[in-house]
Amino acid sequence: MSLQDFVKILRSRWLTIAVTTVVGVLGGVAFTLMTTPLYEASTRLFVSTTSGSSLSETYQGNRFSQERVASYAELLTGQTLAQRTIDKLQLDITAAELQGHIKADAKPDTVLISVNVLDSSAIRARDIANTLSDEFVVMVRDLETPENGSAPDSRVVVEQRASIPDGPVVPKPAQNIGVGLALGVVVGVALAMLRDLLDNTIKSREQLEEITGTGLVGSIPLDKERRRQASISFDKETSGIAEAFRKLRTNLQFLAVDNPPRVIVVTSSVPSEGKSTTAINVALALAENEKSVVLVDGDLRRPSLNKYLDLIGTVGFSSVLSGAVSLDEALQETRYPGLTVLTSGTIPPNPSELLGSQSARKLLTELRSRFDYVIVDSAPLLAITDTAILAAGADGVLVIARFGNTKKEQLSHAVGTLESVGAPLLGAVFTMTPARGGGSYSYGYYGEYSARTEPSRRLEITRNQTREITESSQTMFQPSVKSRKSGPGD
Ligand SMILES: Nc1ncnc2c1ncn2[C@@H]1O[C@H](COP(=O)(O)OP(=O)(O)O)[C@@H](O)[C@H]1O
Ligand SMILES: [Mg+2]
């Protein structure tokens, strides 16, 4: 994995990392709040020995003290002294418990011992430290006094007494939160990597092209506005999504230039991948280019064009096929110039049969003769055969994959279905691609209309790209008032 891949994963999974980081920090805070505060009180003991008069005696006395110091440190944390302290202060703890809270450090090459006592009460910490030290002085005197009652060889003085500690030494909020934060980030990054490893959704142009065996002809960015209003007003809009549809239109117009596809089925593997939204806007983009376009709702089970475009849903495709109304009666004008719609009509009991009928084929042929383009919205390919039947009779099929949502198996299954009926695949379209950093194109996870894998096609696309640039610069300066090609359906 390159550094770039790593950065991409971090960017695409920033939410995971943010969540674990917040959890880590909250964990640090919770740990801090749950920890009983402990106060530390300290005393310092000085060990002295009866020094002789001569220099060498003094030196030896000093050595003797230093050796003593090490043993004293042991005795300070011992059970005997702990018990004596407990008895003296009438504490309600065991000697072992108290021992666990006492620390005695002998500084090397000195005759000093520092004693630290931890306790949940600041006052008690001080009392224990002082009492313990006083008891130790007595204990040493008892131990060091020879049998004959002469002066003890060594004695201990409490050089510094304990005072009430200002604040607790435990918990350490900054340290706990810091550790929580660091752990959160590390776990978040690890989780992001793991999720990326286990992610089997399609997220790159390469994956999409490999699975579909065709080139990417469009990347439609995610645009929240589309949830409210599926259709884009191309005469007003210059947003990223409008530009993406214009590019898709251009690519469509230059695909198979010798035999341009005019009946185009828009489909995908599962619901909610943006088929209807894409079909509507591809049709509108073509209509913007002064083409007469009919948009047909080929999803006879769950039609949506009527809802998305505020049209009558009860008269349409199925009504014409059943002979209830004529085609002219069923075609509906829209508020968009150049766009006519044939909604699905009432939901028939046998959609697959109806779509596979001779009449359906005739109907599409009729529409083909009346309009420059017939764009067919369709049902998802997996689970039902409706769309495969439709696709087999079309000039071309655009297969859609929703970025980071469509699973690889789903798409390959869908493409397999299309191949099995011999449907001509025109190209793949990515929908709802993340539009970060001022437009989807700056997001490096997928490319845009770049060279395909086959060398012969690469040439074709390079040529197309050149035209596309010319075209899109033209469309940008196109006047919004357009003349329409008139067809019998208009
Ligand atoms: N480019 C897009 N940006 C944001 N939302 C989108 C986009 N395309 C489609 N949607 C939303 O996704 C949902 C499913 O879209 P739809 O076109 O009905 O999918 P399908 O026809 O595949 O079931 C709808 O709520 C639609 O508004
Ligand atoms: Mg739909």
Side-chain angles (χ1 to χ4, degrees), residues 272 274-277 297 299 302-305 308 377-380:
S272 295
K275 289 179 289 296
S276 304
T277 310
D297 201 336
D299 188 346
R302 285 192 192 163
S304 49
L305 293 187
Y308 285 165
D377 180 23
S378 68

Side-chain angles (χ1 to χ4, degrees), residues 220-230 241 245 267-268 270-281 299 302 304 308 377-378 380 400 402 430-433:
I220 312 302
L222 188 90
D223 179 12
K224 293 208 175 80
E225 185 62 15
R226 302 286 67 88
R227 303 218 172 101
R228 207 176 54 76
Q229 171 69 47
I241 189 165
F245 276 112
T267 191
S268 75
V270 289
S272 295
E273 291 184 294
K275 289 179 289 296
S276 304
T277 310
T278 305
I280 290 171
N281 292 301
D299 188 346
R302 285 192 192 163
S304 49
Y308 285 165
D377 180 23
S378 68
I400 282 176
R402 179 171 166 180
F430 240 147
T431 56
M432 302 188 227
T433 54

Side-chain angles (χ1 to χ4, degrees), residues 223-285:
D223 179 12
K224 293 208 175 80
E225 185 62 15
R226 302 286 67 88
R227 303 218 172 101
R228 207 176 54 76
Q229 171 69 47
S231 53
I232 300 168
S233 304
F234 278 89
D235 52 350
K236 295 188 208 99
E237 288 237 24
T238 50
S239 56
I241 189 165
E243 276 313 308
F245 276 112
R246 288 191 181 107
K247 281 189 181 178
L248 173 53
R249 168 192 66 198
T250 312
N251 280 358
L252 273 185
Q253 287 173 327
F254 292 108
L255 278 176
V257 273
D258 289 337
N259 190 15
R262 295 208 288 117
V263 180
I264 299 167
V265 171
V266 179
T267 191
S268 75
S269 34
V270 289
S272 295
E273 291 184 294
K275 289 179 289 296
S276 304
T277 310
T278 305
I280 290 171
N281 292 301
V282 165
L284 283 172

